[in-house]
Amino acid sequence: MNWLYRFIPLRDDFITNDYGFIYKITNLETNKFYIGKKAFFHNKKKKLTKKELAEQTGPGRRSTTKVEQVDSGWRTYWGSSKELLAEVKSLGEDKFEREILHFCSTKKLLTYYELQYQIQYSVLLNDSYNDNILGKFYRKDFVTAE
């Protein structure tokens, strides 16, 4: 199942210069939803080969690693909520809709807009798969505080 952006399916060869996106995954039977963020790429440290180490020139300490960008697997991503992942597995992917809400150009903006959308959708007060915001505000704290 593809991601939707403004209800238009994104192709597999979709290309953007953005860092990542904010998404909403909705259970089409119950309308329960999840708001999260996903980067398009991750930086991965890789040890240099002997040949690459030998090619290094210049003064100073020589690097033993290099950083490579690798695909984050965003095309097949279903969020980090264990409850959501269990329901996707048991009900099937066709019972869910994956929608991109916002593209972000930097890591910092990605975190900001995730927070903004989670608050906008009141994820801790509504029936959502989100059980916390920023790892600081938890659903259990709001249920007992009211």
Side-chain angles (χ1 to χ4, degrees):
M1 175 185 190
N2 285 334
W3 285 95
L4 298 174
Y5 179 63
R6 299 195 176 146
F7 297 102
I8 299 169
L10 292 180
R11 298 186 331 254
D12 282 341
D13 60 350
F14 166 75
I15 297 172
T16 180
N17 291 328
D18 289 310
Y19 181 83
F21 59 93
I22 307 305
Y23 63 88
K24 180 181 179 188
I25 299 176
T26 306
N27 181 323
L28 297 174
E29 294 179 347
T30 64
N31 284 328
K32 195 171 183 176
F33 62 92
Y34 181 80
I35 304 285
K37 64 182 177 180
K38 186 66 177 167
F40 288 112
F41 296 94
H42 293 296
N43 289 333
K44 185 177 180 181
K45 274 189 176 181
K46 192 172 182 181
K47 286 190 174 186
L48 293 175
T49 64
K50 288 183 181 182
K51 182 180 178 182
E52 290 170 322
L53 286 168
E55 291 173 352
Q56 288 184 5
T57 59
R61 187 167 180 248
R62 301 187 197 287
S63 178
T64 59
T65 60
K66 63 181 174 182
V67 177
E68 291 183 344
Q69 275 197 335
V70 295
D71 187 284
S72 67
W74 66 272
R75 288 174 185 85
T76 58
Y77 190 68
W78 283 94
S80 60
S81 166
K82 290 179 183 176
E83 181 185 1
L84 170 62
L85 294 173
E87 285 194 13
V88 168
K89 188 174 183 178
S90 67
L91 300 174
E93 293 179 5
D94 59 322
K95 301 289 191 246
F96 294 84
E97 177 181 81
R98 297 188 307 168
E99 177 187 2
I100 293 176
L101 301 174
H102 194 99
F103 288 100
C104 299
S105 59
T106 67
K107 187 175 183 177
K108 189 176 275 191
L109 285 175
L110 195 63
T111 300
Y112 172 81
Y113 280 107
E114 179 190 31
L115 174 61
Q116 178 184 327
Y117 278 101
Q118 287 174 336
I119 291 171
Q120 179 181 331
Y121 281 89
S122 300
V123 297
L124 298 181
L125 302 175
N126 288 324
D127 190 23
S128 79
Y129 294 101
N130 295 82
D131 63 353
N132 75 79
I133 295 177
L134 293 176
K136 294 181 181 185
F137 306 101
Y138 292 86
R139 178 183 305 280
K140 63 180 180 174
D141 297 332
F142 286 88
V143 173
T144 57
E146 292 179 349

